[in-house]
Amino acid sequence: MTNIPAIAITGLRRSYGSQVVLNGIDLQVPEGIIFSLLGPNGAGKTTMVQILSTLIRADAGEVRVCGHDVLRDPDRVRAAIGVTGQFSAVDSFLTGEENLRLMADLHRLGRAEGRRRTADLLERFGLGEAAGKPAVMYSGGMRRRLDLAMGLIGNPRVVFLDEPTTGLDPRSRRDMWQIVRDLAARGVTILLTTQHLEEADQLADRIALLDRGGLVAEGTPAELKRLVPGGHVELRFADGRALTTAAAILDVAPEPADESLVLRVPGDGGVRSLKVLLDRLDAAAVQVDGLTVQTPDLDDVFFAVTGQAASAAAPAIASASGKVTAR
Amino acid sequence: MTTMTLAVRDSATMLRRQLRHTSRNLSTMLSLLAVPIIILLLFVYVLGGTLGVGLGGGSGGRGVYVNYVTPGILLITIAGAVQATAIAVAMDMTEGIIARFRTMAIARMSVLTGHVLGSVLQTLFQLAVVLAVAVLVGFRPDATAIEWLAAAGVLAATTLALVWLAVAMGLVAKTVAGASNLPMPLLLLPLFGSGFVPTDTLPVGLRWFADYQPFTPIMETLRGLLLGTPIGNSVVLALGWCAVIALVGYVWAKRLYNRDRTR
Ligand SMILES: Nc1ncnc2c1ncn2[C@@H]1O[C@H](COP(=O)(O)OP(=O)(O)OP(=O)(O)O)[C@@H](O)[C@H]1O
Ligand SMILES: [Mg+2]
């Protein structure tokens, strides 16, 4: 390990025509961590990955990968990275094995070594049985895994994954998460983009929130969650009378003009405080119809830093928020 | 290893990729062969009797005409083949794999040289098949071994030049359909030249075009080498045109491939 950050970005700007897509990004990613770039559709995630992987140029700013400048030394950067873009980058006419061998040949690995790493990756990514089938016949999940394997054959130090789990079913998503964790355990630095807060929370050591071309927050998942006030408990009642009584007992005002018969009570939702809360209502014979614990999650962070619900910007994010519901 | 040997190595890898693609698209190869062969049979058996008489062949008109038309058919074979190259390149560019190649530390042009080498090999094979069919239907060249070799060289040079041009066309086209239309004029050039009838039988404007377009000297050179007709300065013009077309195609393709692509 060196002290040189895996990724160092200063003052990065990029526009498409008159549309500013990246508006002055500063970012450092230390070696050996999983870093997640989180943002809704159109935030500029793919553009950033394309600049980092030497596919497109920045308009301004300095971008270094493993200490190499992407403009002055693109081939050094390319030799250090593995890329799995948002859109599949496999050769559909070739089989899975041939795709990997092609990559091995382009890394000039030599026959024996190429064959060895191909077999190893096919095995690790569960593609052994499909190795001889043309990639056109692969399912979305298999294609994604092949895509990732192809980016790894040169043993890259930094791996870019642009929305690696978009379009995968929950099981394949979990498999992909495990693959990413295994990769990180081997010391590879990973920059992963996602629209899913849960995914960033699950995988990343550090997260940056990208919104309309700017970084609006950066830190560990825990640090980001500390940016927002604590969570709350939502109590649902059968009728207005119960709601009013409960509001009086707990000393919280029901939301004005709210017809949903729901009361939001601040609290962290821990078992002990929940019990206290319910006991107080029980003592006053107030029937609670249902209860939802709302822990502070990255959705709240997004709201806190952008003043806009992430869910309004990207529906996918709303479904990933961490709600625990009890009845 | 030097940059040059790395480039050769990567190009060889990309050539293997192209050959695999070809082996998986044999039906494309067959249809590419069918077109020039059908045109050959059409001109020899349907029109050849009459056209041959016009060439002064008398009662053996059909045999005379086979000899006359074969060089033009060979160029149509090349034109059809490079149209397929343009389509293949355009399709390749829509595949994500090209983006992957661009993020790898490989000889940058090797994707394109792979296409070029693959197409040249494939086209030479097609030319051999079409020539064999021509011989079957009565083509009777009187070339010596040296002349055969020279003719093969001219065909290879023409193929190489047009393939580079087609690669550029495949890159510049916004869609695969566009890529298939751009090389279309190449298929017509043998017709608007000395491919099917001598240019002095054409009306004035067309004759002028036919005399100065690149395919005419190439066809005249092939005729001279294979059948012993006078060559004159055709060979110089032919090779000159090939060099210019190859250079334009190469430089254009390189520029297009290296431009800042935004998906
Ligand atoms: N080639 C292009 N030409 C013009 N505008 C583009 C191009 N590529 C991206 N953009 C614009 O740049 C902005 C950011 O796009 P980008 O693909 O980086 O977003 P993203 O965060 O990856 O979004 P998604 O989650 O949908 O993948 C978008 O508004 C998009 O319209
Ligand atoms: Mg994207």
Side-chain angles (χ1 to χ4, degrees), chain A residues 46-66:
Chain A
T46 297
T47 306
M48 197 140 134
V49 169
Q50 286 176 333
I51 290 171
L52 282 164
S53 55
T54 76
L55 274 173
I56 62 174
R57 287 157 178 269
D59 295 336
E62 190 178 45
V63 178
R64 289 178 173 274
V65 177
C66 294

Side-chain angles (χ1 to χ4, degrees), chain A:
Chain A
M1 300 279 140
T2 56
N3 289 327
I4 301 173
I7 298 168
I9 300 174
T10 41
L12 170 62
R13 282 172 198 285
R14 165 83 202 203
S15 309
Y16 279 114
S18 60
Q19 186 197 0
V20 178
V21 177
L22 294 174
N23 190 12
I25 305 276
D26 296 299
L27 185 67
Q28 295 247 338
V29 177
E31 217 173 80
I33 72 164
I34 302 181
F35 190 96
S36 176
L37 200 57
L38 176 67
N41 283 135
K45 304 181 296 293
T46 297
T47 306
M48 197 140 134
V49 169
Q50 286 176 333
I51 290 171
L52 282 164
S53 55
T54 76
L55 274 173
I56 62 174
R57 287 157 178 269
D59 295 336
E62 190 178 45
V63 178
R64 289 178 173 274
V65 177
C66 294
H68 307 298
D69 189 295
V70 291
L71 276 187
R72 260 167 299 180
D73 243 349
D75 268 336
R76 285 243 171 78
V77 173
R78 290 173 187 144
I81 63 175
V83 185
T84 300
Q86 183 169 1
F87 305 101
S88 163
V90 309
D91 188 325
S92 312
F93 291 112
L94 302 185
T95 67
E97 183 174 0
E98 286 167 347
N99 266 294
L100 288 167
R101 292 292 298 277
L102 172 65
M103 291 300 117
D105 288 345
L106 290 174
H107 280 98
R108 300 143 186 162
L109 288 181
R111 252 185 131 63
E113 180 65 7
R115 197 167 290 167
R116 201 186 60 72
R117 284 199 210 174
T118 296
D120 174 51
L121 283 165
L122 285 171
E123 157 84 33
R124 248 168 79 196
F125 286 71
L127 291 168
E129 275 178 34
K133 276 198 212 163
V136 252
M137 292 164 68
Y138 281 24
S139 74
M142 288 159 72
R143 224 177 146 84
R144 210 77 190 111
R145 290 201 301 269
L146 175 60
D147 214 341
L148 182 52
M150 285 168 73
L152 298 181
I153 210 147
N155 284 338
R157 288 163 61 197
V158 179
V159 170
F160 300 120
L161 304 176
D162 196 0
E163 300 195 22
T165 63
T166 301
L168 298 190
D169 67 23
R171 211 201 121 133
S172 308
R173 168 174 302 182
R174 256 155 232 289
D175 289 348
M176 185 59 81
W177 285 354
Q178 198 48 50
I179 286 172
V180 172
R181 290 191 187 105
D182 290 347
L183 207 53
R186 292 165 183 244
V188 178
T189 309
I190 296 165
L191 181 112
L192 159 138
T193 80
T194 179
Q195 319 184 3
H196 297 275
L197 299 143
E198 184 199 2
E199 182 161 287
D201 204 2
Q202 282 277 335
L203 289 178
D205 299 305
R206 293 185 74 79
I207 300 174
L209 260 59
L210 189 64
D211 183 45
R212 281 164 284 174
L215 286 187
V216 290
E218 204 232 303
T220 64
E223 279 168 1
L224 289 181
K225 283 180 199 167
R226 241 176 273 138
L227 286 176
V228 288
H232 55 260
V233 178
E234 278 181 14
L235 300 171
R236 208 162 44 252
F237 298 95
D239 54 51
R241 214 163 46 92
L243 177 75
T244 323
T245 320
I249 294 170
L250 299 172
D251 195 23
V252 282
E255 310 231 336
D258 190 356
E259 317 233 319
S260 63
L261 302 176
V262 167
L263 200 62
R264 294 170 145 242
V265 187
D268 62 2
V271 175
R272 182 172 294 273
S273 62
L274 269 183
K275 189 166 176 345
V276 172
L277 182 73
L278 293 178
D279 283 348
R280 283 171 73 189
L281 293 174
D282 221 24
V286 179
Q287 278 283 322
V288 180
D289 219 34
L291 169 154
T292 306
V293 176
Q294 191 85 58
T295 51
D297 59 23
L298 290 167
D299 208 0
D300 299 307
V301 178
F302 216 97
F303 184 76
V305 294
T306 65
Q308 181 198 356
S311 46
I317 291 177
S319 64
S321 62
K323 284 181 186 151
V324 188
T325 305
R327 228 198 135 90

